[in-house]
Amino acid sequence: MPLHERLSSIPKKFRPYFWDQPDTDTGPFKYMFAFRRIWKWAVLLTSGASLLPLIIITAIDYNVTQKSNESEILLRTSRVVSNTKRSISFFLAERKSALEFIVHDNTFEELNDAENLATILKNLKDAFGGFGDIGVIDASGRQQTYFGPYKLHGADYSEQPWFKKVLDTGVYISDVFLGFRHTPHMVIAIKHDLPDGSFYVLRATVDTERFNEQLSGLELSGRGQAFIVNSQGILQTPSRDHGGVLEKISIPVPEYSSKTRVIALDQPKGESKIIGYAYIADTPFILMIVKQKGELMAPWRRTRVKLIGFLAISVIVILVVILGFATYLVNTMHLVDQKRIMTLHRAEYANKLASIGRLAAGVAHEINNPLAIINEKAGLIKDFFTIKKQYGDDPLLIGLVDSIIFSVNRCGTITRRLLSFARHVDVSIAPVDLKDVIHEVLGFLVKEAEYRCIDIRVEVSEDIPEFESDRGKLQQIFLNLVNNAFAALSDGGRLDITARMEKGSKVRVIVEDNGCGISEENLKHIFEPFYSTRTKKGGTGLGLSITYGLVKEIGGWIDVTSVEGTGTEFHVIIPLVSKEKGRNQDEGTIGGRRDRVCLNPGRASLSQGN
Amino acid sequence: MDDEIEFVSTLAERLSLRGIEADWANSAEKAFEYAEKNNYDLAVLDVKMPRIGGIELKQSLEKICEGLRFIYLTGHGSEADYRAGSAEAVHYLVKPVHIDALIEKMKETLGQ
């Protein structure tokens, strides 16, 4: 459904005034009176120009702050990971160094002394804590001496992979395992070369309690947790969300890197995570810190939501303002254009009227001359009859001549009225007698009124002075109003014209008919150009719009009230640029009397005053 | 004075019948000729005539005949003519006119 059709369905109350103006699809005014198009473009362009930058800025701001916030999080995580890695490395190095110290401080023999070994373990426990047992293994892989809670004396480790490894690298730190004790612990072993070319291995177990303390003591934002896994992804320390000790971790093991790294793990289901990790050198351990990205971004997101909310409100406010303003402007434009059309048509109409006037005057002149000859000839005949008794006594002949003269007079009245009307077409301001004007106008319509048996009553108040106005315009105004009334009246109807003084030197003229009336809907548009209910019957829809314009031009005001089926009343209010009424005796006696002129054939005529 | 012979001759005859000495002319030359010969009290002129119009004719006749009064009698009532005619403080009548009305205006003009 096209936009305007959709908008046509909005209630009339909210529809702008110009909306009902039909678009002119063809002709030279195609782009002049397309108010809907102008409105649409005005709204589109202004909202585009004002909203687009706002939206773009918000989008850019959103992206930039998101990126910087994310990189900030990564940086922070990376710092925590590398700090923790350092303390874990230090923790292991400390224990390794303790064992190194022992092998350097004691001879092989001293270490093989079980009592001495027990003292060493006690000292280790006191100094470092967490040491479980200690043993010395000779080059063949057999445990020579052992002190601890288990009977491991003489155990053979020669085939164990860790033993082979310690031979290769000199130091070995094991994964965490449960072993016999059923508590997670790990093994630290170091190889010590003897001066005779032989060697032995000092092996101690350390429980992971301290390890765990180190990690759980970290304060991590974003529901973060720190734990250690080995290279197979087996958890070495407990984790809150990713499984217990020695369970397989629920997230993939990050790839090897010699440095601290932070990656963002976007999971399609569930929350995205930020994972910081570091491989701890010379051990199987990988330190991991996992944070919930959503939690970390929450403060940023809250600020964004506020900003976007602000944007939405701004957009609504801007749109409302733009719509209101565009509607107001286009309405004003519509009004101005209406006026312009009216002026154009009035000019055209005035031109037309002027040419008709000139034509009428020409015709009247042409007719007047032969008419004058007929008049004089007939007059002469009558003169002869009166002088020469021979014919003068014949009433038939005198009657014939009189009838000719009477007819000539009638013709003269008509042509004179025509001339008088045409004469005022191009007159400007002059003293006007309202009564004269009204009668002059009615003079044109006498015949029609007679044929249709329309009863015309004229009541012009006596106290209306002669005033300065444009006689031609007044004539047109009343002619249009009376014509309009005639169109509404059915045969035998009644037309009342009343004129009376109003406060503040104004004259109110009421043209009232008891014709078909005007519907409320039509009444609203009655003074608009081209609005006609009689288009099919030859109405141009210009009469009343021109009347309206003319009334405005003489500084007046026109109003209409109508009840459908009962009749219509036009009120014209004309300001008086007052001028004392000339003391014309004729009018002095007639004026003010209720001047009832019923125009039935054979009765009164309206030639008086013309 | 009128360019319509039929009209002007008949009118002159009718005026004569009513005891008014009237000459008629249907051209400006003839009018001047009469004006030079006789001393008229009043001239009835058409406004719209070929070659020389009523207003112009009046001015010329005024020079020939001092104290001559004028009445315009015309078939055309254009506004410009009406104003020009009225401005000269003379009567301005539109054809066809009743003979009695014309005589009355003549008397009025001559101040009788």
Side-chain angles (χ1 to χ4, degrees), chain A residues 169-390:
Chain A
T169 56
V171 180
Y172 169 73
I173 295 173
S174 76
D175 292 346
V176 174
F177 61 99
L178 288 174
F180 302 113
R181 318 155 212 230
H182 297 289
T183 53
H185 65 282
M186 60 181 163
V187 168
I188 301 175
I190 54 167
K191 175 187 160 201
H192 186 69
D193 293 314
L194 291 170
D196 60 1
S198 160
F199 68 90
Y200 69 93
V201 170
L202 184 66
R203 176 183 179 275
T205 59
V206 181
D207 68 39
T208 52
E209 200 64 29
R210 291 295 182 85
F211 230 37
N212 297 350
E213 274 168 28
Q214 290 255 328
L215 295 172
S216 61
L218 285 173
E219 277 186 23
L220 296 169
S221 55
R223 286 208 289 120
Q225 47 192 320
F227 49 85
I228 290 172
V229 295
N230 68 8
S231 50
Q232 281 84 50
I234 306 297
L235 276 161
Q236 308 290 293
T237 63
S239 78
R240 197 172 57 234
D241 300 329
H242 300 283
V245 180
L246 299 178
E247 283 176 28
K248 179 97 173 130
I249 196 172
S250 58
I251 49 175
V253 178
E255 63 175 23
Y256 177 75
S257 160
S258 58
K259 285 183 190 159
T260 302
R261 275 184 68 182
V262 180
I263 52 169
L265 186 71
D266 289 321
Q267 286 176 322
K269 281 175 193 170
E271 279 185 291
S272 298
K273 293 180 171 68
I274 301 280
I275 300 172
Y277 69 93
Y279 277 75
I280 297 167
D282 301 328
T283 70
F285 301 137
I286 307 165
L287 169 68
M288 287 179 82
I289 288 181
V290 178
K291 293 178 175 179
Q292 306 298 324
K293 191 175 173 188
E295 295 266 325
L296 293 170
M297 298 293 275
W300 168 81
R301 195 157 287 132
R302 274 197 291 278
T303 322
R304 282 323 102 182
V305 165
K306 272 183 205 159
L307 263 181
I308 289 168
F310 179 75
L311 174 76
I313 291 166
S314 310
V315 166
I316 290 166
V317 168
I318 288 171
L319 279 181
V320 166
V321 167
I322 285 174
L323 282 176
F325 202 62
T327 308
Y328 169 76
L329 277 185
V330 176
N331 255 344
T332 313
M333 227 160 93
H334 180 242
L335 222 76
V336 170
D337 270 357
Q338 289 283 82
K339 277 187 193 155
R340 188 167 57 164
I341 303 173
M342 217 163 6
T343 315
L344 283 174
H345 287 294
R346 203 156 53 231
E348 206 175 302
Y349 182 80
N351 273 340
K352 212 181 283 174
L353 211 69
S355 11
I356 292 171
R358 274 192 292 278
L359 189 75
V363 170
H365 181 219
E366 289 312 310
I367 289 172
N368 269 354
N369 276 328
L371 214 54
I373 296 169
I374 296 170
N375 189 39
E376 295 314 320
K377 294 289 180 194
L380 188 59
I381 292 170
K382 198 181 170 189
D383 288 351
F384 287 153
F385 287 174
T386 341
I387 293 157
K388 293 185 180 171
K389 292 290 173 215
Q390 185 185 353

Side-chain angles (χ1 to χ4, degrees), chain A residues 63-261:
Chain A
N63 280 323
V64 167
T65 52
Q66 187 182 33
K67 282 215 181 81
S68 76
N69 211 43
E70 274 175 0
S71 66
E72 164 95 25
I73 288 168
L74 296 186
L75 198 70
R76 241 185 355 232
T77 309
S78 144
R79 212 156 41 217
V80 174
V81 169
S82 60
N83 284 344
T84 316
K85 175 198 172 186
R86 218 170 295 135
S87 42
I88 299 284
S89 303
F90 177 71
F91 175 87
L92 292 170
E94 210 177 32
R95 272 137 193 86
K96 210 165 68 189
S97 304
L99 295 185
E100 295 270 8
F101 174 76
I102 290 164
V103 294
H104 283 103
D105 192 43
N106 297 281
T107 61
F108 185 53
E109 288 72 29
E110 280 169 338
L111 286 176
N112 274 327
D113 176 1
E115 252 174 70
N116 197 19
L117 202 61
T119 316
I120 288 173
L121 182 64
K122 187 182 174 292
N123 289 343
L124 274 176
K125 273 182 176 169
D126 289 348
F128 297 98
F131 279 91
D133 54 7
I134 194 163
V136 178
I137 298 142
D138 65 15
S140 64
R142 185 163 297 275
Q143 186 146 275
Q144 291 286 331
T145 321
Y146 169 80
F147 186 82
Y150 303 103
K151 292 193 164 41
L152 290 171
H153 187 83
D156 184 5
Y157 292 115
S158 59
E159 292 307 310
Q160 300 253 342
W162 70 265
F163 188 72
K164 287 179 179 146
K165 201 153 186 195
V166 85
L167 297 188
D168 287 345
T169 56
V171 180
Y172 169 73
I173 295 173
S174 76
D175 292 346
V176 174
F177 61 99
L178 288 174
F180 302 113
R181 318 155 212 230
H182 297 289
T183 53
H185 65 282
M186 60 181 163
V187 168
I188 301 175
I190 54 167
K191 175 187 160 201
H192 186 69
D193 293 314
L194 291 170
D196 60 1
S198 160
F199 68 90
Y200 69 93
V201 170
L202 184 66
R203 176 183 179 275
T205 59
V206 181
D207 68 39
T208 52
E209 200 64 29
R210 291 295 182 85
F211 230 37
N212 297 350
E213 274 168 28
Q214 290 255 328
L215 295 172
S216 61
L218 285 173
E219 277 186 23
L220 296 169
S221 55
R223 286 208 289 120
Q225 47 192 320
F227 49 85
I228 290 172
V229 295
N230 68 8
S231 50
Q232 281 84 50
I234 306 297
L235 276 161
Q236 308 290 293
T237 63
S239 78
R240 197 172 57 234
D241 300 329
H242 300 283
V245 180
L246 299 178
E247 283 176 28
K248 179 97 173 130
I249 196 172
S250 58
I251 49 175
V253 178
E255 63 175 23
Y256 177 75
S257 160
S258 58
K259 285 183 190 159
T260 302
R261 275 184 68 182

Side-chain angles (χ1 to χ4, degrees), chain A residues 361 364-365 368-369 371-373 375-377 379-380 383-384 387 408-409 412 416 419 423 427, chain B residues 4 6-7 10-11 13-14 17-18 48 75-79 82-83 94-99:
Chain A
H365 181 219
N368 269 354
N369 276 328
L371 214 54
I373 296 169
N375 189 39
E376 295 314 320
K377 294 289 180 194
L380 188 59
D383 288 351
F384 287 153
I387 293 157
V408 167
N409 275 339
R416 227 165 287 170
L419 280 171
R423 191 155 63 210
V427 180
Chain B
E4 297 265 2
E6 287 294 338
F7 172 74
T10 316
L11 185 62
E13 195 172 351
R14 291 188 73 195
L17 284 173
R18 280 163 179 75
K48 281 253 185 303
H76 192 284
S78 88
E79 183 63 20
Y82 179 78
R83 280 198 196 155
V94 178
K95 289 186 209 172
V97 71
H98 199 276
I99 188 93

